[in-house]
Amino acid sequence: MGTYIAPSRHTRMKCGSHRPYVLVTGAQDETRFMLKALLEMWDFEVAASPDVTASIELAERRRPELILFDATSVSEESLETLTTLKTNKNFRDVPCIVISGFSRADFRKAAIEHGASDLLIKPIDFDFFESYLGEITHSSKQTRREGGHA
């Protein structure tokens, strides 16, 4: 990818002893690697998988608090992968953020219709991203603790 993130530029997540568990999925190895490294730098626990089958296997071992789905194409196939994730009982109530380079309104609408909680457009502002992920995982944990759905 060629992007270097200096560790001193970002603060580590302040989550007490809890490290939010995030699943990163998507076909591009470079994007998964970059997201995993970035999230670990921010003190998230991260699992990464290249496809829906591997993602479901990971979720069966341990339920993530957040899914980051890298949509590398605007294709229906890419969005169907998201639907498969979100209709699985292990992911149904887990927030899912789609990350994509496609900013068209119809793609955003389709992503939401296929189960995404939100769509972030590349390139991502890393300061915003760190704060946003902290809010989502805190909210998700709090909602489950109160007996509701994330």
Side-chain angles (χ1 to χ4, degrees):
M1 294 213 79
T3 303
Y4 173 74
I5 311 300
S8 61
R9 185 171 165 225
H10 297 280
T11 58
R12 294 176 64 82
M13 296 297 298
K14 303 288 189 242
C15 298
S17 63
H18 175 73
R19 292 179 63 210
Y21 179 58
V22 178
L23 175 62
V24 176
T25 188
Q28 281 192 327
D29 293 338
E30 298 85 6
T31 303
R32 280 194 328 277
F33 175 80
M34 187 273 305
L35 286 170
K36 186 175 188 305
L38 186 65
L39 292 170
E40 287 173 343
M41 184 177 71
W42 292 336
D43 209 22
F44 285 91
E45 187 175 347
V46 184
S49 68
D51 58 49
V52 68
T53 302
S55 295
I56 290 170
E57 288 173 7
L58 286 169
E60 288 172 351
R61 287 187 226 141
R62 182 173 174 203
R63 183 180 168 180
E65 292 175 54
L66 174 66
I67 301 165
L68 293 177
F69 178 77
D70 179 44
T72 57
S73 73
V74 185
S75 71
E76 189 66 27
E77 180 181 335
S78 177
L79 294 176
E80 287 303 323
T81 299
L82 178 59
T83 299
T84 302
L85 286 172
K86 291 301 290 182
T87 57
N88 182 285
K89 65 180 173 129
N90 295 307
F91 293 107
R92 191 170 296 133
D93 299 325
V94 177
C96 182
I97 307 303
V98 172
I99 299 172
S100 180
F102 306 104
S103 61
R104 294 189 343 236
D106 59 333
F107 182 71
R108 174 179 293 279
K109 181 180 180 211
I112 301 297
E113 289 172 352
H114 281 79
S117 305
D118 202 353
L119 172 70
L120 297 180
I121 305 302
K122 297 175 188 176
I124 296 171
D125 175 301
F126 291 119
D127 291 323
F128 164 79
F129 191 48
E130 179 182 19
S131 174
Y132 183 64
L133 295 181
E135 289 174 21
I136 290 170
T137 56
H138 176 75
S139 175
S140 175
K141 180 182 174 189
Q142 185 69 28
T143 301
R144 284 198 305 274
R145 185 180 308 138
E146 293 170 356
H149 299 288

